[in-house]
Amino acid sequence: MSTPLPPADFTPAGFTPAGADETFWTATTEGRLLLPRCESCATVIWYPRPFCPRCGGRDVMWFPASGEATVYSYTVVRKARGGYRELTPYVVAYVELAEGPRILTNIVGCDPSEVGIGQAVTLVFDAPAAAAEDGGVRARLYRFRPAD
Amino acid sequence: MTVRGAAFIVGAHEHPRRDIPDLSVAEIHAEVALAALADAGLSPPDVDAYFCDSDAPGVGPLSMAEYLGTRCRHLDTTETGGASYLSHVGHAAAAIAAGKCQVALVVMGGRPRTLRLASGPSLAGAPETHYETHWGITDTVHNYALAAMRHMHEFGTTSRDLAEVKVAASLHAQHNPNAFLRKAVTVDDVLNSPMISDPLHRLDCCVMTDGGGAVVVASAEVARRLPRRSVAVLGHGEAAKGTGNGRPGLTYTAGVWSGPAAFAEAGVTPADIDYASVYDSFTITALMALEDLGFCEKGKGGRFVRDGALVAPHGRLPMNTDGGGLCNNQPDNRGGMARMIEAVRQLRGEAAAEVQVPDCRLAVVHGSGGRLATRSSAATLILGREDA
């Protein structure tokens, strides 16, 4: 059994990204997960911002994540609100990217009972949504599935 | 400068109701504020400092300080979620020690039960929002469950250990006529309650109640001429913990900083503490805080809470004798005030007879806010009996 993808839950009407957010979320529309890295101290920055919270450096470059990660922690959500209420059970997790940062996401493509801490997982993106009528960014959420 | 000897909690009041459809939020604030002042033997014109967070209607304290009839020369609207009110008392004590004010009123209240709302400060526009709130993370419990799962993985903590926190709270709540849940429960009751977000069951979660509370903090000079027994503010610490540039450690909280700061200021250690009020929005919240405050080693919280350790009056560390947020009250989804008020009762010798800690001289009050171990706050107070 595979977990259905919960809906992408934000749209241009609710989110008009600017700055680093715009760079990041625009890349998701092309199925790319970009990470910012500080050119001064080589720290991979998470969540995105145009400076380094470690050294204060302002020379930040973007590079694509490998998409490889491991599960740092997870929960099987059995009670939720709004659009997710009908989609339980689903898995929310912190995954540790090969590049360092631990990020919040879903584990999809398997039964929730098959998820465990330390498990290897791979990046997947939601299918592209219909183009936004107002021309704004139609972001795609990044999620992870068990690695092959 | 230290707050020790400078500031005293001279009045306290927890709203007795848990379901309040018939009062506005401003009226709940007024009821608890006036009752806390009356408890102290004071009235609104005596107040010269006002402390509240974002649950106060209006902009900061501007509406409520005027609504109540106070004339304030010191204002503080520190907002750290459920820990705010502990910070307010610490800040009030420092302001009193610095001569900025004499009588500080700290007030909170709300109606999440009536309004069916997950209340709290808005995250709209926060820089992390779009990286932390999607993926079906629709409720606070989902974040706390992530921390609980990691704690279990690293340290072998079990659901039975977490349940012990709820069991102790429920044993206490039997003796609190105002508690929202007054029925004693067992470890098995907790484990058999519906799973909400693995590994947290329904009975691992606190109650959602309407209500509020207030305390009055006054200078030594004012406290001396009041009739009631007062409680000394001996130490205060507070801290924030974020996600650490994407490397959050989910098994410790900002309590590792707020706790030692408060104990150091008070000049005491965890071994000196007679009673603990510890934030228990979920069972894991309290268990992790006990470790972070130094009552046991990191990772040993599960072992520490076994065998009735938290049960008053004779457990190793009587905790949350009002029933805590797990059974008694979590007004406006923020437990810091209600927990602090029970510590005041213990130090005045006014807790329910069945749970009053004998010769209670020193108490720790610990609050937290936000999302456990990630986007979060902690505040710790050491309070002492008048003669401590």
Side-chain angles (χ1 to χ4, degrees):
Chain A
M1 185 186 118
S2 74
T3 309
L5 288 171
D9 55 357
F10 64 98
T11 64
F15 183 45
T16 309
D21 289 334
E22 186 175 11
T23 305
F24 180 86
W25 290 108
T26 300
T28 69
T29 66
E30 301 152 4
R32 293 189 300 146
L33 182 69
L34 292 186
L35 296 172
R37 179 173 54 215
C38 173
E39 292 299 276
S40 304
C41 74
T43 294
V44 178
I45 297 164
W46 187 261
Y47 49 91
R49 63 201 91 174
F51 58 91
C52 175
R54 182 163 176 267
C55 75
R58 301 184 68 162
D59 187 5
V60 170
M61 298 294 286
W62 295 85
F63 71 101
S66 66
E68 303 308 312
T70 56
V71 176
Y72 172 72
S73 193
Y74 73 98
T75 181
V76 183
V77 174
R78 299 179 192 276
K79 198 168 183 318
R81 288 175 214 249
Y84 282 85
R85 206 169 74 139
E86 306 301 323
L87 295 164
T88 58
Y90 57 90
V91 178
V92 169
Y94 262 111
V95 301
E96 185 170 307
L97 302 178
E99 293 79 10
R102 293 171 185 154
I103 70 174
L104 281 165
T105 188
N106 296 122
I107 306 298
V108 297
C110 67
D111 189 277
S113 66
E114 295 166 23
V115 175
I117 290 175
Q119 182 177 17
V121 291
T122 303
L123 174 68
V124 288
F125 272 95
D126 283 3
E133 284 174 18
D134 61 3
V137 174
R138 179 70 84 174
R140 291 163 67 186
L141 287 186
Y142 45 91
R143 311 181 204 257
F144 287 76
R145 62 166 175 78
D148 295 327
Chain B
M1 190 181 81
T2 171
V3 300
R4 191 174 177 128
F8 295 80
I9 296 176
V10 295
H13 183 77
E14 179 185 15
H15 203 288
R17 296 171 64 190
R18 305 289 178 261
D19 202 356
I20 316 179
D22 53 314
L23 295 179
S24 70
V25 171
E27 287 168 340
I28 294 171
H29 279 238
E31 285 202 349
V32 295
L34 295 171
L37 286 167
D39 182 51
L42 295 167
S43 60
D46 296 315
V47 174
D48 63 358
Y50 201 88
F51 291 71
C52 62
D53 66 10
S54 70
D55 79 9
V59 176
L62 299 184
S63 296
M64 292 311 299
E66 186 271 342
Y67 180 69
L68 285 163
T70 64
R71 288 183 303 277
C72 293
R73 60 191 176 113
H74 190 82
L75 304 166
D76 184 322
T77 50
T78 298
E79 167 64 88
T80 56
S84 297
Y85 322 105
L86 281 70
S87 287
H88 293 164
V89 168
H91 299 177
I96 288 167
K100 303 282 187 190
C101 56
Q102 289 250 306
V103 177
L105 185 55
V106 183
V107 188
M108 65 80 60
R111 303 195 304 162
R113 180 155 205 88
T114 293
L115 303 175
R116 304 199 165 282
L117 281 180
S119 56
S122 169
L123 290 174
E128 76 277 12
T129 289
H130 290 290
Y131 306 95
E132 296 185 2
T133 56
H134 300 294
W135 304 281
I137 304 167
T138 67
D139 292 80
T140 312
V141 64
H142 304 147
N143 293 88
Y144 284 69
L146 289 165
M149 190 71 90
R150 184 72 198 182
H151 199 278
M152 289 179 163
H153 175 77
E154 286 191 25
F155 305 118
T157 310
T158 67
S159 289
R160 300 190 76 82
D161 296 334
L162 294 178
E164 293 282 3
V165 178
K166 169 71 176 186
V167 169
S170 78
L171 292 173
H172 297 150
Q174 297 178 99
H175 307 297
N176 179 353
N178 296 327
F180 186 77
L181 301 174
R182 294 191 62 198
K183 185 170 166 282
V185 302
T186 65
V187 166
D188 285 336
D189 289 336
V190 179
L191 301 190
N192 292 330
S193 67
M195 193 67 91
I196 302 295
S197 188
D198 299 29
L200 299 180
H201 304 78
R202 183 183 299 283
L203 295 189
D204 286 299
C205 305
C206 68
V207 300
M208 183 188 274
T209 46
D210 297 345
V215 295
V216 183
V217 187
S219 65
E221 181 194 337
V222 171
R224 262 195 301 275
R225 59 180 164 81
L226 295 175
R228 292 271 276 135
R229 194 179 297 176
S230 62
V231 166
V233 180
L234 301 175
H236 158 248
E238 64 187 37
K241 180 175 178 238
T243 53
N245 188 27
R247 282 78 168 169
L250 288 187
T251 54
Y252 71 98
T253 73
V256 298
W257 302 305
S258 69
F263 280 110
E265 187 173 31
V268 301
T269 71
D272 300 317
I273 295 296
D274 301 307
Y275 166 77
S277 269
V278 177
Y279 208 88
D280 59 345
S281 50
F282 301 93
T283 50
I284 184 65
T285 320
L287 187 138
M288 221 185 270
L290 288 168
E291 297 172 350
D292 292 341
L293 291 172
F295 286 101
C296 61
E297 273 177 57
K298 176 50 64 185
K300 302 271 177 69
R303 242 165 285 176
F304 181 81
V305 300
R306 288 175 201 164
D307 307 319
L310 309 178
V311 180
H314 299 301
R316 275 198 305 282
L317 182 68
M319 182 177 94
N320 296 350
T321 43
D322 60 323
L326 289 166
C327 296
N328 171 29
N329 197 10
Q330 186 84 350
D332 203 42
N333 302 322
R334 294 155 173 266
M337 175 65 79
R339 302 294 79 74
M340 179 159 58
I341 290 172
E342 179 66 2
V344 171
R345 291 191 196 102
Q346 281 285 353
L347 292 165
R348 283 171 158 181
E350 296 174 358
E354 298 86 349
V355 296
Q356 175 67 49
V357 174
D359 193 29
C360 188
R361 296 171 58 83
L362 273 181
V364 63
V365 186
H366 181 74
S368 57
R371 307 295 172 116
L372 186 65
T374 54
R375 188 83 37 214
S376 57
S377 66
T380 310
L381 291 173
I382 308 297
L383 303 179
R385 207 162 66 185
E386 204 170 36
D387 58 355

